[in-house]
Amino acid sequence: MKYISREALQTWLDRLANDVTLIAPRLVDDILLYQSVSSAREIVLDYTRPKMSAKEVVLPSSEPILFVEKRGQEVSLTEPSSGAQIIFGLRPCDAHGIAVLDTVFVGQEPIDLNYARRREAITLIGLSCPQMREDCFCTSMGGMPNDPTHFDVLLTEVEDGYAVNTVTDKGRTLVDHLNLEEIKGEPAEPIINETESVLAQEHWPDLFADHYWDLLAERCLECRMCAYLCPVCRCFDVQDQVTQQGISYSKYDRLRCWDSCTGTNYRVVAGGHNPRATKGQRLRNRFFCKFHYFPVEYDHSGCVGCGRCIEACPVNIDIVEVMRDISRAFNASQISNASPDAEKGVTA
Amino acid sequence: MTPYLGRLVGKKDLGTDIKLLQVELVEPNGKARFADYRPGQFAFVSALGIGEAPFGIASTPSGNGLLEFGIAKVGSVTAALHSLEVGEIVGVRGPLGNGFPMDEMKDKNICVLGGGIGGAPLRPVIRDILDQRSDYGHLTILWAARNPSLLVFTDEYDLWRSAPNTELHVTVDEGDEEWKAAGGNEGLITQLLETIAPSPENAVTITCGPPAMLHFVTLTLHELGFSLDQMWTTLEARMHCGICKCGRCNMGDKFVCTDGPVFRQDEVAGFLETYL
């Protein structure tokens, strides 16, 4: 592992900001966000977790996926291009989230060319968390506050500077010419929270029909904040937008925008039928997606344990509490199967 | 996610607010992609500037070389598609989804049950069977709609009726005077199904229609002695990509777009979520 001093890091980041689009934690109206920066000065280095995940960089909240030009009856279609971007200061949970999105969008045929094109040009330079926040649970989702797995380069703070762990060839091409020295000693281990257990995916269907989901959803406002903040939630809508409309010449953008399965009309089909008509069914889909559907479909949890949805939910729907409730209910049902008098279900 | 360009070359009324759109693909790569597609597959059709939506392909590659879609006007995209003039350009993305396993149905007696616009994705099934008539057993077509004006492909009834070893039965929930005068059937497709009572012996069924119809047809077929693994259906779901990315069309851990839209009822029965 190499070492970079604080000063050398500033110089390097300034150069990166000059050469490519550099995204890094930056304060916008007192809210910390992964945003493009023009110099190292703008970057916040002492932080726990930006308000939003870095999903926005790989899958923007709204992006054109097709440009349509119509001249008379002649139509031409153009796909958008994408330039080089580096995300600096990414937390391991957010890199983990991007890795899960990679699995969905490019890990399975047919791949999403739009996502692939942008993602190909993105390099991830991480910054380890010295300790987990109270609402963080990355260690319960297979992550670690200093997990280098999903980065190209991971920096970990040491005295007067950072340990530099170069993970991929993409990272090496960025770091090699810096001629960094070998680090003396090892960075400190992060302070971690107690691990929460999540019920194995194959047992979740046992709790599908439980009344729990309706009770939990009674307070859900369907604000969809949880999905928008989530590094993994990837549901999107596609809409056409007219950007220029004339008699002989028109331009349209086909936009892809974030969406969320907890929204009322999410599943409504032509004719008005809604197979997921209740809030309970929709909220259940959110948690089943994370802990059952994702593991079945992608062999990976649909949650990385960043804790953002816990912090943001206006009615305190807490994903860790849901994990606990479901585990407890399953265990109780196992006991009650053995002894018929015991209470069943989460809400028993 | 980028469509192929196609030209609208024909537009016919199939019923009240239901049109058949005929599209000729203009680019060689689009034509190549659609050179071979199966009954039951679907495609997204774009009204450029308004949006795109998925539709079961109502034609077969063996037909007139055009892609055909039976489209009911139910929203903004379908309204825009209805209002297009012949000669205008549309986008077409596909073919998508699995399609009906026609090979598995060879030599079997087949009962096709179509409800309303649900008849559109079944037309290529009927065409495919009629094209290779001797490969399949007896064909029973049960065709239904809420009222006579919503029955689709009525101009093909004679073709279907005159095909060897083929019968067609039509019913509407409520007939108009003309329908009643002509002695047409009135009642739900399940009542017609009970009356016709096809034998489950060496037979399969293929159903497409609204969720309630799928549900009750399945129950009736069960009463007639059909097992779930003899019943095929094609499901509808709202979707935006068709390639298992947008997350919209899941039924439990299954995606209608890539795991379907064609499913056997025993698979559907195993899903965590229902289409109802």
Side-chain angles (χ1 to χ4, degrees):
Chain A
M1 213 179 299
K2 307 280 186 186
Y3 166 80
I4 191 167
S5 69
R6 288 179 200 284
E7 296 72 31
L9 177 65
Q10 295 287 315
T11 311
W12 184 37
L13 290 174
D14 272 332
R15 204 168 66 237
L16 291 177
N18 195 46
D19 294 348
V20 298
T21 302
L22 182 65
I23 315 271
R26 171 164 78 85
L27 282 170
V28 181
D29 295 335
D30 289 335
I31 296 171
L32 192 70
L33 297 170
Y34 294 111
Q35 291 270 303
S36 64
V37 293
S38 52
S39 77
R41 269 199 326 277
E42 296 172 53
I43 302 174
V44 176
L45 288 167
D46 181 21
Y47 64 96
T48 55
R49 180 180 70 203
K51 196 87 175 171
M52 304 276 288
S53 79
K55 173 169 74 178
E56 173 95 45
V57 184
V58 295
L59 184 71
S61 55
S62 176
E63 60 161 333
I65 54 173
L66 186 69
F67 301 112
V68 183
E69 267 189 288
K70 197 172 168 205
R71 272 191 186 79
Q73 280 307 313
E74 289 305 305
V75 172
S76 65
L77 307 177
T78 321
E79 292 175 3
S81 57
S82 196
Q85 298 186 83
I86 292 176
I87 313 181
F88 170 80
L90 195 63
R91 289 306 195 194
C93 56
D94 287 331
H96 193 181
I98 290 175
V100 180
L101 292 176
D102 289 348
T103 307
V104 174
F105 285 95
V106 295
Q108 276 191 354
E109 291 287 340
I111 67 164
D112 185 304
L113 291 169
N114 232 38
Y115 180 95
R117 205 160 30 223
R118 179 184 297 102
R119 179 66 183 92
E120 184 69 33
I122 294 175
T123 308
L124 308 180
I125 306 177
L127 195 54
S128 297
C129 306
Q131 77 173 85
M132 291 168 74
R133 285 169 59 126
E134 196 187 348
D135 54 13
C136 288
F137 58 106
C138 67
T139 48
S140 310
M141 294 293 136
M144 272 297 281
N146 60 349
D147 180 10
T149 313
H150 309 294
F151 290 108
D152 296 300
V153 181
L154 176 64
L155 271 54
T156 306
E157 196 168 6
V158 293
E159 210 179 334
D160 298 327
Y162 298 88
V164 181
N165 182 357
T166 310
V167 186
T168 64
D169 287 339
K170 214 171 176 180
R172 247 177 292 285
T173 57
L174 271 183
V175 171
D176 271 359
H177 67 276
L178 296 174
N179 297 318
L180 301 174
E181 303 163 15
E182 286 296 320
I183 195 166
K184 301 178 187 75
E186 288 287 316
E189 283 299 314
I191 302 163
I192 61 173
N193 299 346
E194 209 170 304
T195 309
E196 299 286 341
S197 69
V198 57
L199 182 66
Q201 62 87 3
E202 63 268 26
H203 297 314
W204 278 72
D206 290 7
L207 278 306
F208 189 80
D210 202 285
H211 186 42
Y212 176 70
W213 304 109
D214 289 324
L215 287 180
L216 187 69
E218 270 181 10
R219 63 183 200 263
C220 175
L221 305 175
E222 302 194 346
C223 70
R224 301 183 264 184
M225 192 67 85
C226 48
Y228 298 152
L229 295 179
C230 177
V232 176
C233 277
R234 57 61 155 81
C235 285
F236 60 82
D237 192 3
V238 175
Q239 301 270 343
D240 281 10
Q241 188 178 56
V242 178
T243 53
Q244 203 175 323
Q245 183 93 59
I247 295 164
S248 59
Y249 180 76
S250 302
K251 277 171 83 173
Y252 317 119
D253 290 353
R254 178 155 291 172
L255 301 176
R256 143 151 85 191
C257 344
W258 291 352
D259 203 344
S260 162
C261 63
T262 54
T264 315
N265 295 325
Y266 183 78
R267 280 286 265 124
V268 172
V269 294
H273 179 66
N274 189 355
R276 219 176 275 146
T278 70
K279 246 185 340 182
Q281 291 171 332
R282 294 190 288 274
L283 196 59
R284 175 179 65 191
N285 186 73
R286 171 172 174 74
F287 291 110
F288 265 73
C289 181
K290 304 227 161 284
F291 299 121
H292 180 63
Y293 306 153
F294 250 86
V296 169
E297 184 81 10
Y298 303 107
D299 200 21
H300 198 289
S301 166
C303 172
V304 293
C306 73
R308 284 191 180 88
C309 57
I310 302 173
E311 184 196 21
C313 181
V315 293
N316 293 329
I317 292 175
D318 181 331
I319 193 166
V320 172
E321 268 176 36
V322 172
M323 283 158 51
R324 285 183 198 143
D325 289 344
I326 291 303
S327 292
R328 201 178 301 127
F330 178 75
N331 293 335
S333 72
Q334 295 307 99
I335 296 163
S336 67
N337 285 344
S339 115
D341 296 335
E343 292 174 326
K344 282 189 181 175
V346 189
T347 52
Chain B
M1 296 282 286
T2 298
Y4 300 109
L5 296 178
R7 191 175 300 280
L8 185 66
V9 295
K11 196 165 87 161
K12 295 178 189 170
D13 281 326
L14 287 182
T16 303
D17 282 338
I18 307 173
K19 288 191 195 297
L20 183 77
L21 299 194
Q22 298 177 304
V23 176
E24 182 176 32
L25 292 165
V26 296
E27 302 154 308
N29 53 352
K31 283 181 182 159
R33 187 80 176 79
F34 277 93
D36 190 22
Y37 56 90
R38 295 185 295 280
Q41 286 194 293
F42 67 96
F44 279 79
V45 183
S46 293
L48 297 168
I50 306 293
E52 61 172 6
F55 302 98
I57 306 171
S59 51
T60 55
S62 67
N64 50 15
L66 303 176
L67 282 175
E68 296 181 318
F69 301 95
I71 297 177
K73 189 162 87 177
V74 288
S76 55
V77 172
T78 50
L81 288 171
H82 272 213
S83 67
L84 288 176
E85 302 289 339
V86 167
E88 287 199 80
I89 296 291
V90 295
V92 183
R93 200 155 63 75
L96 297 164
N98 54 2
F100 290 103
M102 298 308 294
D103 283 344
E104 281 182 39
M105 299 181 185
K106 295 255 161 90
D107 297 321
K108 292 202 158 74
N109 300 322
I110 300 175
C111 181
V112 171
L113 302 104
I117 191 63
L122 298 180
R123 182 194 187 218
V125 172
I126 296 169
R127 282 211 161 166
D128 212 56
I129 295 169
L130 297 191
D131 279 350
Q132 303 156 71
R133 194 65 203 86
S134 57
D135 287 356
Y136 299 89
H138 190 78
L139 174 62
T140 309
I141 302 168
L142 303 190
W143 217 238
R146 277 178 285 140
N147 63 58
S149 80
L150 298 175
L151 287 165
V152 292
F153 301 112
T154 51
D155 58 344
E156 297 184 20
Y157 286 177
D158 287 345
L159 193 73
W160 299 349
R161 281 199 184 102
S162 62
N165 209 9
T166 303
E167 55 186 299
L168 168 70
H169 304 275
V170 185
T171 186
V172 294
D173 295 359
E174 199 177 345
D176 51 19
E177 276 176 27
E178 194 186 337
W179 184 267
K180 287 177 198 201
N185 289 317
E186 274 189 304
L188 298 171
I189 194 167
T190 43
Q191 291 167 285
L192 184 64
L193 179 59
E194 279 166 4
T195 313
I196 306 298
S199 163
E201 187 80 20
N202 188 39
V204 291
T205 66
I206 302 176
T207 312
C208 186
M213 173 189 140
L214 295 185
H215 178 71
F216 288 104
V217 161
T218 303
L219 295 182
T220 307
L221 286 170
H222 186 71
E223 281 164 17
L224 290 172
F226 284 85
S227 58
L228 291 177
D229 61 8
Q230 289 175 283
M231 306 175 198
W232 294 87
T233 187
T234 173
L235 298 179
E236 177 195 19
R238 188 161 173 175
M239 58 180 79
H240 291 299
C241 72
I243 54 171
C244 204
K245 310 298 179 202
C246 78
R248 177 82 52 163
C249 68
N250 80 306
M251 288 180 62
D253 60 23
K254 293 287 184 286
F255 287 94
V256 171
C257 66
T258 49
D259 293 315
V262 170
F263 295 100
R264 226 168 53 186
Q265 275 297 347
D266 55 331
E267 293 177 80
V268 177
F271 293 167
L272 274 179
E273 289 186 295
T274 74
Y275 48 74
L276 280 174

